[in-house]
């Protein structure tokens, strides 16, 4: 029987990987810092994804169990993660955002702890593990991942994936079969949480291949993981047809998979998304979906971005040098994890989003931790102070810059604060105008200003939940015509109409009662907005009416006086889309609202909203 030998020394600064009391203390401080950086506003509202899953939540244990053999309403197979948090909390918290964000913080903090556990289990180096943890903890992409409850899917998937890796590494070290069983069970949990877990067995294979072992374990140790993967693919693709994907499609077009809204293509797009992934990993802004910027003066912002790019160069140079040392295996494992876990999303055409890096980023963090620690070890041989200062800068500078940018990202990113503020404001507008709604009410939104309104409202679930009426239906002009709301329903009070203007809702029901032809379809390419140069004016004075989308043409204007729609009139717009309107001396004082615009010779109206008050 082979006896385990104690190593006389621990190369590369190896330390006792067992948990220590100071680890708990440091993690508490890290958690408090994460609260300050990412959870400063626990009362902010929900984005469309969370609203949808709240409205589609499980109502019973039987419904939850049925999710294991049915696809969810979006044709995903994520029975463990997709709507679990919303289903558990809604009966207790309703639409109070704070408990949901508290749950997300708990999950996020658990993910942070698991980064440290994986890093120290893999490298057995406490310094590298803490560098990896600190790098991960304050990364800019977390401002998106922590912004909404629907991101619990990413965190639950993260915990199962990292748990599987930790257990497998411990199996490779100890050959304890219980660790192999735990790794396989965690792999099942990851697959039941998110589809991208299909690459997890391959990431474990990379660990097996690169992991430094005195006695290499048999490759047969991965048979359970790949058997689980095969059964998963047969069930989800062959039987359930997740996202409508058919087996025949995978065979006939192996380079392209159309899964509903998502198109996966193995082409040149992967080069672009891979470049974005590595830029975002270093917090460097790039592309439409990762265009975050420091909140500072333009000059200081440029200095911050330059610093991130300079650190990227230094880390890459350090990575190259580490490849010539025994520590290269840990770096390669980290990079392999990063690329493999990001792989399925790298192939998505025109929809690669920063939060897709949440689970892959742990591998990148571990690689960076090993590299920075190696730099410290080498520099300290000549100047310990220089080594400490340089490596502290490599860790703290990105963390400070990321913390600076995170608030703005959480507040304004289109998947985060932007949609959340819109949903809350527009719900408030409707509730203020109508504290109660008859059952079965139809809501029509002229949302030409923002084509994403229907999703911000979760297709109307935003109104069903606070009014406790699932029979409320919402329709959106930008979803396309024809709409089912009729002039008769408007006239009988069975439907209400609202116009979106500057992110707020203004009621248009009375205008539609007077002009039912506003319900007729117009081309979505003909969307206009009306702008007035003044808010108040006296009789005899002039003001400018501007319609930016119509230049050097005539347009018909529909206007209402104190809510009463007048007969249309025609204006001639110049090359800037402007025309002067003089207020007659005998014009009645009151509020004049510009309700709709029609290109001269056109068939139907496009709603607008702009008001001017005529004074005595």
């Amino acid at each position: 029987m082979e006896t385990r030998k104690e190593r006389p020394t621990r190369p590369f600064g190896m330390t006792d990987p067992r948990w220590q009391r100071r680890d708990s203390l440091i993690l508490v401080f890290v958690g408090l810092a994460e609260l300050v950086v990412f959870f400063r506003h626990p009362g902010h509202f929900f984005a469309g994804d969370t609203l949808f899953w709240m409205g589609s939540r499980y109502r019973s244990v039987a419904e939850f169990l049925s999710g294991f053999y049915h696809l969810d309403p979006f044709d995903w197979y994520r029975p463990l993660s997709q709507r679990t948090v919303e289903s558990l909390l809604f009966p207790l918290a309703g639409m109070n955002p704070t408990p949901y964000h508290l749950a997300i913080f708990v999950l996020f903090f658990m993910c942070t702890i698991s980064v440290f556990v994986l890093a120290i289990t893999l490298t057995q180096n406490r310094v590298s593990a803490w560098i990896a943890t600190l790098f991960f903890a304050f990364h800019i992409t977390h401002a998106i991942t922590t912004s909404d409850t629907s991101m619990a899917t990413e965190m639950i998937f993260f915990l199962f994936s990292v748990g599987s890796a930790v257990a497998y590494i411990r199996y490779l070290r100890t050959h304890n079969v219980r660790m192999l069983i735990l790794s396989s069970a965690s792999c099942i949990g990851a697959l039941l949480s998110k589809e991208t877990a299909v690459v997890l067995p391959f990431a474990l294979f990379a660990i097996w291949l690169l992991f430094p072992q005195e006695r290499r374990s048999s490759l047969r140790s991965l048979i359970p993981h790949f058997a689980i993967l095969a059964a998963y693919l047969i069930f989800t693709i062959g039987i359930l047809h997740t996202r409508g994907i058919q087996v025949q499609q995978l065979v006939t077009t192996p380079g392209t998979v159309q899964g509903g809204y998502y198109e996966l293509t193995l082409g040149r797009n992967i080069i672009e998304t891979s470049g974005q992934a590595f830029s975002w990993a270093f917090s460097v802004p790039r592309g439409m979906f990762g265009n975050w910027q420091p909140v500072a003066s333009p000059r200081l912002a440029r200095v911050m971005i330059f610093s991130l790019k300079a650190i990227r160069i230094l880390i890459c140079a350090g990575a190259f040098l580490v490849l010539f040392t025994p520590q290269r295996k840990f770096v390669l494992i980290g990079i392999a994890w990063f690329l493999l876990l990001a792989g399925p999303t790298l192939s998505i055409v025109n929809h690669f989003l920063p939060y897709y890096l949440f689970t892959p980023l742990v591998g990148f963090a571990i690689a960076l931790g090993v590299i920075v620690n190696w730099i410290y070890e080498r520099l300290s041989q000549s100047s310990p102070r220089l080594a400490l200062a340089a490596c502290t800068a490599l860790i703290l500078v990105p963390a400070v810059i990321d913390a600076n940018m995170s608030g703005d990202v959480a507040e304004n990113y289109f998947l985060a604060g932007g949609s959340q503020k819109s949903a809350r404001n527009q719900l408030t507008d409707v509730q203020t105008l109508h504290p109660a709604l008859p059952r079965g009410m139809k809501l029509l939104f002229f949302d030409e200003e923002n084509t994403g309104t229907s999703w911000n409202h979760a297709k109307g679930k935003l109104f069903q939940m606070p009014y406790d009426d699932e029979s409320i239906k919402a329709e959106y002009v930008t979803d396309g015509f024809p709409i089912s709301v009729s002039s008769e329903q408007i006239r009988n009070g069975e439907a209400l109409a609202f116009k979106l203007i500057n992110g707020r809702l203004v009621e248009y029901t009375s205008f539609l009662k007077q002009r039912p032809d506003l319900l007729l379809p117009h081309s979505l390419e003909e969307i206009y907005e009306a702008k007035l140069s003044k808010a108040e004016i006296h009789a005899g004075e002039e003001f400018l009416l501007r319609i930016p989308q119509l230049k050097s043409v005539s347009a018909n204007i529909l206007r209402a006086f104190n809510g009463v729609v007048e007969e249309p009139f025609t204006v001639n717009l110049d090359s800037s889309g402007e025309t002067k309107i003089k207020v007659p001396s005998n014009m009645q004082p009151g509020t004049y609202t510009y309700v709709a615009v029609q290109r001269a010779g056109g068939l139907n109206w496009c709603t607008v909203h702009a008001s001017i008050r005529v004074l005595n």
Side-chain angles (χ1 to χ4, degrees), residues 215-254:
R215 181 167 62 89
R216 180 170 295 279
S217 299
S218 171
L219 186 57
R220 288 179 296 179
S221 62
L222 287 173
I223 289 178
H225 300 83
F226 281 96
I228 290 166
L229 174 61
Y232 170 85
L233 291 174
I234 292 171
F235 181 65
T236 58
I237 303 298
I239 298 176
L240 296 183
H241 304 302
T242 300
R243 300 298 294 179
I245 297 174
Q246 303 286 338
V247 174
Q248 182 180 1
Q249 180 184 11
L250 298 175
V251 175
T252 57
T253 57

Side-chain angles (χ1 to χ4, degrees), residues 12 115 119 122-123 125-139 277-284 307-320 322-323 327-338 360-377 390-399 402:
F12 186 47
V115 173
L122 177 64
T123 66
N125 185 294
R126 188 163 259 96
V127 175
S128 295
W130 276 119
I131 293 172
T133 304
L134 293 174
F135 172 81
F136 176 88
F138 305 105
H139 199 271
F278 275 103
S279 292
W280 295 346
F282 286 102
S283 302
V284 176
S307 299
L308 292 175
K309 293 180 178 179
I311 289 173
R312 178 172 61 183
I313 294 173
L314 292 174
I315 294 298
C316 289
F320 177 76
V322 171
L323 293 179
Q327 289 75 51
R328 63 179 174 275
K329 292 191 173 183
F330 299 129
V331 173
L332 292 174
I333 287 174
I335 297 302
W337 179 280
F338 179 76
L361 199 62
V362 65
F364 192 88
I366 290 172
L368 184 138
V370 172
I371 293 165
V372 173
N373 189 37
W374 181 86
I375 292 173
Y376 173 79
E377 296 245 340
C391 293
T392 300
L394 290 175
I395 301 168
L396 289 185
V397 169
D402 284 7

Side-chain angles (χ1 to χ4, degrees), residues 15-79:
T15 55
D16 187 350
R18 290 176 296 182
W19 196 271
Q20 297 180 3
R21 182 178 299 177
R22 63 179 177 180
D23 296 329
S24 300
L25 183 62
I26 296 173
L27 281 168
V28 168
F29 284 110
V30 171
L32 292 174
E34 288 176 332
L35 268 176
V36 173
V37 174
F38 299 118
F39 296 90
R40 284 173 283 183
H41 306 290
H44 69 79
F45 203 57
F46 308 102
D49 281 22
T50 295
L51 291 168
F52 182 86
W53 295 118
M54 288 172 70
S56 305
R57 65 192 178 277
Y58 298 121
R59 263 68 171 191
S60 65
V61 174
E63 283 191 22
F64 169 71
L65 294 176
S66 72
F68 285 88
Y69 52 90
H70 290 103
L71 298 178
D72 64 32
F74 265 177
D75 286 341
W76 292 119
Y77 184 69
R78 302 171 179 178

Side-chain angles (χ1 to χ4, degrees), residues 17 20-22 45 52 61 139 225 237 283 287 347 349 381-382 394 403 405 423 437 459 468 511 519 546 582:
Q20 297 180 3
R21 182 178 299 177
R22 63 179 177 180
F45 203 57
F52 182 86
V61 174
H139 199 271
H225 300 83
I237 303 298
S283 302
S347 61
V349 178
Q381 293 176 2
S382 57
L394 290 175
M405 296 188 291
L437 289 177
K459 303 291 185 179
D468 193 22
F511 298 143
L519 288 170
R546 183 168 179 256
K582 184 173 183 180

